[in-house]
Amino acid sequence: MSARRRDYAADYARFVLRHRRLTILLLFAATLTALFYVDQVNLRNDPDSLLPLSNPYIATNLYSDQTYGMGNLMVWGMKLKQGDIYQPWFIKMVEDFYRDVSELPFANVANFVGLPSSKLRNLGITPNGSLDFSRLLPAAGLSDDPRLQQHQINYLRAGLEKHIVLEPLLVYYQDGQGRKCDILGEDGLISNASIGRVHERCRATGTFIIGDFSNQLKQHHLDWIADVRQLMEDYETRYGERVEFYISGEPYFLASMVEELWDKAWLFAISLLIILLVLWYEFRHWSCAVLPLVGVGMTIILTLGLMGYTQFKLTTMMALTPMLLLAIGIGHSMQITRRFMQELHATQDPEQAAFTSIRHTVVPAVLSIGTDLHGFFAISFIDISFYKAYAYFGIFGMSTLILTTTTLIPLMMVSFPPKLRDRKHERGWELRLAKGVTGLLTGPMKWLPLVGVIGLWLASASMAELDKGFSALLSGEAGRADPEVARIQDEFDIMPGVEKGIHYPRAAYKDYYLLGELTEAGGEVEAISDLQILSQMMPGVITANIVIRSKAGTLPHCGLDAWNLRGERVIGPDRCYDEMIDPPQGIFNNAEVVRALSEFEDWLRAHPHIGYTTSYVQFVKTLNMMLNAPFGALPMAHMNLYAIPDLQHMQQNRYAYRAGPDGRLPDPQEIIPLYNGMLQVSAATGELDAFVNTRTWDEGIIVGFVNTMDPKLTHQTILDIQGYLKRHQDDPGMALITVGVKPGEEVVLKGSGDQPEERVVTDRSMSDKAPIGGFLGVTEATRDVAFKEWLNAPVATSLTVFLMTLIMFRSWTIALILISLCFITLMTQYGLGAYMTSIKEWSANLAFHVQVALSIAMGLGVDYGVYMVSRLREEVQASARDWQQALQKTLETTGSAIVISMVVLLGSFIPLMNTELANLWSVSLYISEALIMDVLIALMVLPLVVYWLRPDFVFKTDSQTRTENRD
């Protein structure tokens, strides 16, 4: 007896039709339940949580934030349109503004710096020779008495002009032609000449307030940004005619992105409307237009409901999840809707049409969704939080599409059957498309599509500099004399024309957007324009936090057992510390270390991409200048004393340092602890803790302000800093320190809000490089992850998709065809990234947030290929292997449905590409490009390859298959 394979697709179709009402009821009940959790979606923005916490850059950044603050910096700029900042009304306005921003929720007031800040103190000497460390502005504010008021302003001005540490950060100087005046000289150092030039020839026309906020802000972005905007609007209303206000900073960027997403949510409705109109235009039946949207909409609601229920921490990047489900779901909806309508015309029976359409569509739907699931499964192993979120919720959402589209739509059409019209009145473009493409692919010009695709592949490879990458790899050790070749080899960068680093502000926002150009003057994005202005006014707007730590650490304090009964010390100074008799502990009490850090900071300031630095060492140098300037002389006239007083410095400036009776100069090892003590006593509690650990004096931080966000230049800046530290690691002083969190070190991350305490062990991936914190470090960590995954993720996706198609089709040939054609689309995406790199469009280079589009595009390409191959098989068998007839019928049905799904998706992406958010725009751009390529390949290249290779899956008849399966 012959055994035939069981038709599971037919069994499934019969089952769901038999239980049609129950199936529909259960799906709608589940959707309504999920709807109650949609408003609980935990949408937040936190770059630190995007990347693995074990990354040394991220761990160092979190450590510096917890220890010293300044991890969530904000900058407010105020620039006068006329006059200088030393006007009473302006000072009063700054005081009010400083008080108001300090009262914003989640403000770390102790880390705020501005003219009214308690940190801004006079660095001077009183007539009796003691330190004058008074606040430059009274805590009670500027007096209303005109005479006292002028005295206070004069004191502020004099104090600012000799405050070498903070004046360059807080005051903007401008010459008569409106050009910026820099306090630092061309060599990056402060000198008598550079200060004199600025104070004599330029005028202070602007000032800044630098604020710091806690990580809890990231859980309340919308409320916080509303308060910030209200405050800015209030001051612009009152003072806008006389003052220009600017705002920037990481918290502002992140919060405004969430705000922009909610403000532009109506664009999603526009996308749905576009889809509805296109579907109606195609089918001319409202049920055929509405029901596909209902099915996909149910999947979106179910997925969003799961997000809300699980409270998974999501970023604005996840706003694309509904669009991705829409993109994939509409494709499946189009296939089942078109097949239902074809069968309904043939049978005039809605139930029979539903049975046949489900039976013939569910298998390719399962195949294509299965490949997508494996693609998402592959990226779930990438240690990037939003990749995992894409994967987890993508797998769930994709799994529901079998029920909400392939199953639900025909079941609903049985209940709401569309009215049939004479087919001659329907659109004839499908037939014209099918005839035209069939004629091309079966005629003498059949080579044209293939040649075009190959040409596009070669152009993309050339733009990505694939040849340069392979040449560098093949050059071996001999080629490493060229730094670029060495970099390519170290990073395995086979496409150096594609920049993988990130320009964070431009990755967040575009500089211009079309919707703004249509509705506002110029369409300029305020967040970017303010940032650019502040970048020009300030020394820099992104930070490089260099955490200085001791290699040896400090000893515990001696207990009573350190001495015996005779008072003799039995536990020596190598095992415990006695503050009464032992020299002060801590690397910041070590003159060699402080001098080495001073030299390091001078090098940093001379770096072309570091506008300024600040650290505790600068206070020590300032105090040295104040204390040792000749009696009665202005300290600022002796900038040569702005230095660490080691023996070499004192010998070169003997006029300023008093030698002892034996002619010896003071011992630097005694001077530095003395200065530390004076500064600690003079400062208010906690004021120095933003720069140095005053409990142990064994740890501190240098904060650099980087004046570029170009991803290539920020990477080079990191390399330069690491190179300096490596070259000088054995120098006196530098040999005693380590920078950042050490490889394999356990870091305790304090809990806040709903986040519990967490312990993280840093990985050992960069044991020979110093991890830098701040936004510069986060940028470099992002680049590291991007270089790790830009090839790995597509390769992993392609492997899983290949295995899935191989198992499902049981055909090596089909699996190889589908995955090979996907690589064509992948190469064009690399080409697109190379083009964006060449024009420095940093909103769309191939940074890590864009790379997720590569895997998604491969999934879409396989979807179209699966449907085309499945329909080709069906039509080849139905036409008795008449290839031309089978091809034309496939293109008329499945091919036209693919085209419509592409048009619908491109139309739906257009609104999303017109928000200010660059991350939505860039991923939409890459997916749109992939959609176009995937459709062209599926319609014009795939049939050619199938015809030439003639895989058995397509050309073997069912009777042949049954014969081979007989016992």
Side-chain angles (χ1 to χ4, degrees), residues 101-386:
V101 296
S102 300
E103 293 174 355
L104 285 170
F106 315 111
N108 291 329
V109 182
N111 290 336
F112 272 60
V113 181
L115 298 186
S117 169
S118 63
K119 282 186 170 64
L120 191 63
R121 294 176 175 271
N122 185 52
L123 300 178
I125 306 296
T126 62
N128 62 9
S130 62
L131 280 180
D132 178 5
F133 223 56
S134 305
R135 291 178 56 145
L136 292 185
L137 276 177
L142 208 60
S143 172
D144 291 327
D145 178 79
R147 293 181 60 185
L148 180 57
Q149 185 182 89
Q150 190 58 50
H151 172 75
Q152 292 170 338
I153 290 175
N154 292 340
Y155 185 77
L156 168 67
R157 182 169 192 160
L160 266 178
E161 290 183 351
K162 62 185 179 184
H163 204 301
I164 304 173
V165 180
L166 293 179
E167 185 191 17
L169 272 183
L170 298 181
V171 183
Y172 172 70
Y173 283 95
Q174 193 172 272
D175 64 16
Q177 287 72 46
R179 295 172 301 196
K180 177 184 177 182
C181 300
D182 286 314
I183 291 181
L184 273 64
E186 293 182 0
D187 58 359
L189 303 179
I190 299 176
S191 64
N192 290 332
S194 65
I195 287 182
R197 182 183 66 252
V198 169
H199 291 164
E200 293 169 11
R201 302 179 186 177
C202 304
R203 183 169 58 178
T205 60
T207 187
F208 310 100
I209 294 173
I210 301 173
D212 181 42
F213 291 82
S214 71
N215 279 326
Q216 288 179 295
L217 179 153
K218 296 170 183 176
Q219 303 171 37
H220 306 275
H221 276 137
L222 289 176
D223 293 337
W224 183 84
I225 193 66
D227 292 340
V228 171
R229 291 203 186 281
Q230 182 60 48
L231 188 149
M232 291 294 289
E233 288 175 9
D234 177 44
Y235 277 86
E236 285 173 345
T237 300
R238 291 157 55 192
Y239 299 100
E241 294 183 357
R242 295 188 285 179
V243 182
E244 297 172 2
F245 291 91
Y246 304 103
I247 181 173
S248 192
E250 180 184 346
Y252 176 74
F253 260 84
L254 300 180
S256 61
M257 288 174 70
V258 177
E259 179 190 49
E260 171 72 5
L261 190 61
W262 288 113
D263 286 349
K264 296 295 193 302
W266 57 272
L267 287 174
F268 186 70
I270 299 295
S271 298
L272 295 179
L273 180 61
I274 291 174
I275 295 174
L276 182 68
L277 294 175
V278 173
L279 291 175
W280 178 85
Y281 181 80
E282 168 60 16
F283 291 108
R284 292 303 178 97
H285 300 289
W286 282 112
S287 58
C288 296
V290 173
L291 292 181
L293 281 179
V294 170
V296 178
M298 290 173 70
T299 281
I300 292 172
I301 291 171
L302 288 168
T303 306
L304 292 176
L306 182 65
M307 291 177 181
Y309 177 76
T310 59
Q311 284 293 288
F312 199 97
K313 297 179 179 65
L314 306 173
T315 72
T316 53
M317 287 296 297
M318 290 303 295
L320 279 171
T321 299
M323 292 310 303
L324 296 176
L325 293 174
L326 184 66
I328 298 170
I330 282 295
H332 295 292
S333 298
M334 288 292 302
Q335 298 294 336
I336 190 66
T337 302
R338 180 171 289 278
R339 188 60 184 255
F340 179 90
M341 293 303 296
Q342 290 169 358
E343 299 299 331
L344 186 61
H345 275 288
T347 65
Q348 306 291 310
D349 182 352
E351 287 203 27
Q352 182 60 39
F355 171 78
T356 306
S357 60
I358 293 174
R359 180 188 173 215
H360 283 284
T361 310
V362 70
V363 172
V366 169
L367 290 174
S368 61
I369 289 174
T371 56
D372 288 330
L373 290 181
H374 278 70
F376 281 111
F377 179 73
I379 66 174
S380 70
F381 293 98
I382 299 174
D383 202 3
I384 301 175
S385 65
F386 81 83

Side-chain angles (χ1 to χ4, degrees), residues 522-784:
E524 193 174 46
V525 176
E526 183 181 12
I528 294 295
S529 62
D530 276 11
L531 177 67
Q532 291 172 340
I533 292 171
L534 285 171
S535 298
Q536 296 167 1
M537 294 175 63
M538 296 187 71
V541 291
I542 66 171
T543 56
N545 293 342
I546 305 170
V547 179
I548 308 298
R549 306 170 73 196
S550 167
K551 286 182 178 178
T554 56
L555 296 170
H557 285 268
C558 294
L560 295 177
D561 59 343
W563 292 267
N564 59 23
L565 295 176
R566 294 189 299 274
E568 297 170 337
R569 187 168 182 176
V570 294
I571 299 179
D574 58 331
R575 294 172 55 195
C576 72
Y577 173 66
D578 184 346
E579 60 184 4
M580 300 299 295
I581 59 176
D582 292 335
Q585 287 197 106
I587 53 175
F588 280 86
N589 278 313
N590 186 302
E592 278 194 341
V593 171
V594 177
R595 179 198 52 77
L597 292 177
S598 175
E599 292 177 355
F600 175 41
E601 202 165 348
D602 288 346
W603 177 88
L604 287 171
R605 291 185 173 191
H607 193 281
H609 305 311
I610 298 178
Y612 192 63
T613 64
T614 184
S615 73
Y616 177 74
V617 171
Q618 302 303 318
F619 287 93
V620 175
K621 292 164 71 172
T622 302
L623 181 59
N624 184 70
M625 179 181 68
M626 295 293 176
L627 292 177
N628 293 290
F631 183 77
L634 292 174
M636 298 298 290
H638 295 269
M639 285 295 300
N640 53 302
L641 302 180
Y642 180 68
I644 299 300
D646 62 356
L647 287 176
Q648 182 181 359
H649 165 78
M650 288 189 286
Q651 288 170 354
Q652 293 173 347
N653 300 275
R654 292 186 72 93
Y655 77 93
Y657 298 96
R658 183 177 300 176
D662 56 358
R664 292 184 180 179
L665 291 167
D667 184 356
Q669 199 54 52
E670 295 177 356
I671 295 177
I672 297 302
L674 173 64
Y675 286 179
N676 291 341
M678 295 176 70
L679 288 168
Q680 187 174 19
V681 170
S682 302
T685 303
E687 284 187 354
L688 295 178
D689 290 338
F691 301 101
V692 67
N693 185 333
T694 55
R695 295 178 299 280
T696 65
W697 295 99
D698 208 41
E699 184 177 298
I701 188 170
I702 299 173
V703 180
F705 293 86
V706 181
N707 57 25
T708 181
M709 287 163 284
D710 183 301
K712 294 185 177 182
L713 298 180
T714 53
H715 173 60
Q716 188 58 52
T717 302
I718 282 273
L719 292 182
D720 291 344
I721 294 173
Q722 291 170 337
Y724 178 95
L725 292 170
K726 191 168 186 177
R727 289 192 305 273
H728 297 273
Q729 62 184 351
D730 297 322
D731 290 359
M734 296 296 282
L736 301 178
I737 70 167
T738 184
V739 173
V741 176
K742 293 178 286 189
E745 181 178 352
E746 183 180 82
V747 179
V748 179
L749 305 179
K750 301 173 185 175
S752 63
D754 61 349
Q755 294 179 317
E757 181 178 282
E758 188 173 357
R759 294 178 180 272
V760 176
V761 178
T762 58
D763 62 50
R764 301 177 182 274
S765 59
M766 44 180 288
S767 57
D768 60 335
K769 296 179 181 178
I772 309 300
F775 218 65
L776 184 68
V778 174
T779 300
E780 187 66 10
T782 305
R783 185 181 186 278
D784 282 355

Side-chain angles (χ1 to χ4, degrees), residues 5 12 27 87 147 153 162 213 319 421 462 489 528 533 611 635 641 737 747 774 784 861 876 886 898 956 960 963:
R5 287 185 299 177
Y12 175 77
L27 285 173
Q87 301 177 62
R147 293 181 60 185
I153 290 175
K162 62 185 179 184
F213 291 82
R421 295 182 175 86
S462 176
Q489 292 180 1
I528 294 295
I533 292 171
L641 302 180
I737 70 167
V747 179
D784 282 355
V876 164
I898 288 173
K956 186 182 293 185
Q960 290 173 309
T963 299

Side-chain angles (χ1 to χ4, degrees), residues 802-818:
F802 173 78
L803 293 174
M804 186 69 178
T805 53
L806 177 62
I807 293 169
M808 289 188 167
F809 285 114
R810 300 181 182 180
S811 170
W812 286 92
T813 306
I814 292 296
L816 287 170
I817 289 172
L818 292 178

